[in-house]
């Protein structure tokens, strides 16, 4: 058997922000789905050091879901975090086809008090070094790396206001009914145009069980219709469905969320969680000349909460009606 050729790529960006801010964003993979366009979801499987969000080093294993050339891929990676040197090395343990190996390094270099050079290195191999597979991986790596570095630069350079641009919230409802029935309502999103009044249209593709790619038209309180595209990853045994909008309304740069179920008394607590990054350059155009970031936060909280609250109420009715008719 011939040895597989190792292919290497390098991507670099200059960022007008402190090196510690840049490193912190990269280290905190829990926020990657919110911060990095290709990333859909991250599960931290284990870690020997503190979570990256706390600035610690150590080793961690992650399972990731992300888009690559328009398809959703999943893999497991191990990361070595070195906050002192501001380097993070990663290696995929279970690569997604057509890869047989993938790894690399994030290198954060301080070039000034408010200046950082960020370099992202990759190395990869594919089975039999097939030219079409090499080209596919090269294209995906270039596209995703460029997208990630561009978004990271934009976020880091707003580091003083980033906390105001990011908001997370949740709404919950108690259901006196079987968790399986609630989960079925949330999972069968293809039925929502008939079940959920604010959903006008929904196109769904589920080529891999539990990974749903969807396009949806949602009607807001003022009668306008917003088209969004999302990827959902479903965990039926855990009673969770996580999702990321891959095409968002103009006021949001990113939107991720989760539906979760947990036992509560004789029933189940159902929670809808949202995390959003606002797009400040669009606030005045969307909300008017007097609007500011605080107004945008209130608007998004109300709009998303209204729709998810309505969906929670319908899921509750669906489950409790099933219980009542038994």
């Amino acid at each position: 058997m011939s040895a597989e050729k190792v292919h290497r790529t390098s991507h670099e960006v200059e960022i007008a922000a402190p090196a510690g801010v840049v490193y912190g964003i990269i280290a905190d993979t829990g926020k990657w789905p919110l911060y990095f366009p290709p990333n859909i979801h991250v599960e931290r499987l284990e870690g020997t050091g503190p979570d990256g969000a706390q600035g610690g080093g150590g080793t961690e294993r992650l399972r990731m879901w992300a888009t690559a050339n328009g398809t959703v891929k999943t893999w497991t990676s191990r990361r070595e975090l070195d906050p002192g040197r501001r380097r993070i090395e990663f290696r995929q343990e279970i690569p997604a086809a057509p890869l047989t190996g993938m790894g690399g390094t994030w290198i954060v270099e301080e070039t000034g008090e408010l200046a950082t050079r960020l370099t992202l290195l990759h190395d990869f191999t594919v089975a039999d070094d097939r030219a079409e597979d090499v080209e596919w991986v090269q294209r995906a790596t270039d596209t995703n790396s460029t997208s990630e570095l561009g978004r990271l630069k934009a976020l880091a350079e707003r580091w003083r206001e980033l906390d105001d641009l990011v908001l997370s919230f949740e709404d919950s409802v108690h259901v006196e009914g079987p968790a399986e029935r609630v989960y079925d309502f949330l999972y069968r999103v293809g039925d929502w145009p008939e079940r959920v009044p604010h959903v006008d249209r929904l196109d769904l593709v589920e080529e891999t069980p539990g990974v749903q790619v969807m396009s949806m038209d949602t009607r807001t309180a003022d009668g306008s219709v917003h088209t969004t595209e999302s990827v959902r990853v479903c965990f039926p045994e855990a009673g969770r469905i996580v999702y990321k909008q891959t095409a968002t309304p103009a006021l949001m740069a990113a939107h991720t969320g989760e539906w979760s179920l947990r036992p509560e008394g004789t029933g189940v607590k159902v929670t809808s969680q949202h995390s959003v990054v606002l797009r400040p350059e669009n606030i005045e155009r969307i909300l008017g000349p007097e609007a500011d970031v605080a107004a945008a936060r209130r608007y998004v909280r109300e709009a998303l909460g209204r729709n998810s609250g309505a969906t929670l109420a319908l899921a509750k009715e669906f489950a409790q009606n099933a219980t009542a008719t038994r």
Side-chain angles (χ1 to χ4, degrees):
M1 180 180 294
S2 61
E4 296 168 345
K5 179 180 178 180
V6 178
H7 301 267
R8 303 182 187 277
T9 67
S10 177
H11 297 83
E12 185 177 291
V13 66
E14 300 289 338
I15 303 174
V21 169
V22 175
Y23 179 85
I25 292 174
I26 301 166
D28 186 7
T29 52
K31 288 191 173 68
W32 276 24
L34 192 61
Y35 287 168
F36 290 172
N39 202 280
I40 303 300
H41 181 61
V42 177
E43 291 274 316
R44 194 170 194 251
L45 304 178
E46 61 183 75
T48 59
D51 181 46
Q54 302 172 21
T59 302
E60 62 182 359
R61 290 181 66 245
L62 307 165
R63 187 174 181 193
M64 296 186 173
W65 288 257
T67 57
N69 294 335
T71 63
V72 180
K73 297 288 187 177
T74 184
W75 64 88
T76 302
S77 285
R78 180 175 296 274
R79 301 206 315 167
E80 299 284 343
L81 291 86
D82 186 343
R85 298 170 63 209
R86 295 197 183 103
R87 294 172 66 100
I88 300 174
E89 297 184 357
F90 58 91
R91 182 67 51 187
Q92 293 187 10
E93 294 182 338
I94 307 175
L99 288 165
T100 56
M102 169 68 88
T105 308
W106 294 90
I107 303 171
V108 180
E109 299 174 273
E110 182 177 341
T111 57
E113 183 179 355
L114 296 176
T116 300
R117 178 181 300 112
L118 174 61
T119 304
L120 175 56
L121 306 176
H122 285 93
D123 61 79
F124 68 88
T125 56
V126 299
D128 300 323
D129 205 39
R130 290 185 293 266
E132 62 272 24
D133 289 341
V134 171
E135 189 279 331
W136 192 96
V137 175
Q138 182 81 53
R139 179 159 44 92
T141 303
D142 287 344
T143 299
N144 285 8
S145 297
T146 300
S147 175
E148 289 169 354
L149 295 185
R151 179 61 60 85
L152 196 152
K153 173 181 170 68
L155 291 170
E157 291 183 347
R158 292 184 178 272
W159 64 279
R160 291 184 178 90
E161 58 180 318
L162 188 56
D163 286 347
D164 292 330
L165 297 178
V166 176
L167 67 151
S168 296
F169 60 90
E170 62 182 39
D171 298 294
S172 299
V173 65
H174 177 80
V175 179
E176 281 295 332
E180 295 81 5
R181 184 74 170 169
V182 179
Y183 187 88
D184 183 72
F185 181 94
L186 298 173
Y187 172 76
R188 296 185 182 276
V189 69
D191 296 335
W192 281 14
E194 290 75 41
R195 291 177 171 177
V196 180
H198 63 261
V199 176
D200 282 3
R201 176 196 62 86
L202 195 147
D203 296 329
L204 177 68
V205 176
E206 189 172 352
E207 295 180 350
T208 301
V211 177
Q212 301 176 329
V213 180
M214 52 185 266
S215 173
M216 178 171 66
D217 290 342
T218 302
R219 188 169 299 277
T220 61
D222 62 6
S224 60
V225 175
H226 294 287
T227 299
T228 59
E229 297 176 3
S230 303
V231 177
R232 308 203 317 168
V233 182
C234 306
F235 303 92
E237 293 183 358
R240 299 171 60 218
I241 298 174
V242 299
Y243 62 88
K244 175 174 181 170
Q245 286 190 350
T246 52
T248 57
L251 200 55
M252 295 184 285
H255 176 204
T256 64
E258 177 175 341
W259 302 95
S260 61
L261 289 73
R262 65 177 179 83
E264 183 178 69
T266 58
V268 60
K269 181 179 181 180
V270 189
T271 299
S272 170
Q273 186 273 335
H274 297 272
S275 292
V276 170
V277 178
L278 297 175
R279 199 187 298 271
E281 64 272 19
N282 288 343
I283 291 176
E284 184 175 326
R285 178 171 66 85
I286 302 298
L287 300 182
E290 303 300 320
D292 56 9
V293 170
R297 289 174 66 93
R298 291 191 298 270
Y299 179 87
V300 169
R301 171 66 176 95
E302 180 181 346
L304 292 180
R306 183 190 308 113
N307 283 353
S308 61
T311 304
L312 287 171
L314 291 166
K316 175 176 181 174
E317 179 183 8
F318 183 78
Q320 293 187 164
N321 284 349
T323 303
T325 58
R326 287 182 178 177

